[in-house]
Amino acid sequence: MKRKIEKNMWCDSMCCEKNIAWMVGSEINALFQLDFNTKSYHFITDFPNTSINNIRQNQLCLKIGNDIYFFPDRGKSVGMYNLLNKNFKEILINNPDNERIMINMVFYCMDKLYAVSIGLKGIIEIDIYKEEIVNIYLFANYMQDSEISSEGCIVDDKIYFTIPEKNMICEFSSGSKKITAFCLS
């Protein structure tokens, strides 16, 4: 007997703005909009050059102005969709070994995006005006057979996330571009 697979609105994250939430489907690789006032859910667009059936292709999205940025689990680029022009652009990620990117946190600070990539073991800095990756700041030396958390926070110009297995807090300064870490007792 074949089991019927139902698609639903499962997503890994939402970016909210007043009464609207934007999200990328985890089962359906497309952009959706949720209106909290009307309690309605709308398909906006699918992604060019990828199947709508790619599960968890883009884990996170973030809206800045009229642009929505999409951050991949796998792939070679960060996507960008302009809500006014209804067009897509790609910001290529240097990933010659085709590693799983696994971006699990994104922060907007001082007109830059900072995407924390477990797969590349670094923080990807994206200039939103030039629409390009400026640098990748590696934190691999702090991980050593550990994983980083999927939650973090930003305080002033510093990004914080944890390495739970080591009771370690990592701090990235978007000003100095330095990564430091300290252990908790």
Side-chain angles (χ1 to χ4, degrees):
M1 174 192 324
K2 281 191 172 182
R3 187 173 147 225
K4 183 178 176 185
I5 298 174
E6 305 246 349
K7 303 281 184 178
N8 60 37
M9 64 179 277
W10 166 42
C11 68
D12 286 322
S13 74
M14 292 185 204
C15 56
C16 297
E17 182 178 71
K18 297 184 182 175
N19 64 321
I20 300 292
W22 301 94
M23 61 190 89
V24 179
S26 293
E27 271 193 282
I28 302 170
N29 186 35
L31 174 63
F32 296 91
Q33 179 189 61
L34 175 63
D35 186 319
F36 294 110
N37 287 339
T38 63
K39 297 177 180 43
S40 58
Y41 184 66
H42 305 281
F43 170 87
I44 302 300
T45 185
D46 57 349
F47 296 95
N49 305 319
T50 62
S51 169
I52 198 163
N53 293 318
N54 279 358
I55 293 178
R56 298 189 82 198
Q57 176 68 31
N58 295 286
Q59 291 180 212
L60 303 174
C61 66
L62 182 67
K63 183 177 182 291
I64 300 172
N66 291 312
D67 293 317
I68 299 179
Y69 295 83
F70 306 97
F71 301 91
D73 180 42
R74 300 178 188 275
K76 295 185 180 207
S77 65
V78 170
M80 187 172 78
Y81 179 73
N82 185 278
L83 293 166
L84 298 178
N85 301 336
K86 298 185 180 351
N87 65 355
F88 280 94
K89 291 183 181 177
E90 285 186 313
I91 300 172
L92 295 178
I93 298 172
N94 184 18
N95 187 8
D97 297 329
N98 203 25
E99 296 286 333
R100 185 174 176 195
I101 296 171
M102 295 174 59
I103 293 175
N104 69 340
M105 290 180 267
V106 179
F107 302 95
Y108 179 60
C109 180
M110 297 173 22
D111 292 327
K112 301 268 176 47
L113 286 172
Y114 295 94
V116 180
S117 168
I118 295 172
L120 299 179
K121 297 176 177 61
I123 299 170
I124 302 168
E125 180 181 18
I126 302 168
D127 185 312
I128 63 169
Y129 297 113
K130 293 179 181 177
E131 298 175 357
E132 66 183 20
I133 291 178
V134 177
N135 207 337
I136 298 178
Y137 306 97
L138 300 178
F139 52 72
N141 56 327
Y142 296 114
M143 291 178 67
Q144 299 167 353
D145 300 323
S146 300
E147 291 291 325
I148 64 169
S149 61
S150 60
E151 295 291 329
C153 66
I154 187 165
V155 178
D156 298 324
D157 72 336
K158 293 181 174 62
I159 294 168
Y160 295 91
F161 57 91
T162 64
I163 301 177
E165 292 90 357
K166 295 184 171 196
N167 290 335
M168 188 178 286
I169 304 284
C170 287
E171 173 189 270
F172 172 74
S173 169
S174 63
S176 70
K177 312 298 185 200
K178 301 269 189 246
I179 298 174
T180 55
F182 53 93
C183 290
L184 302 174
S185 59

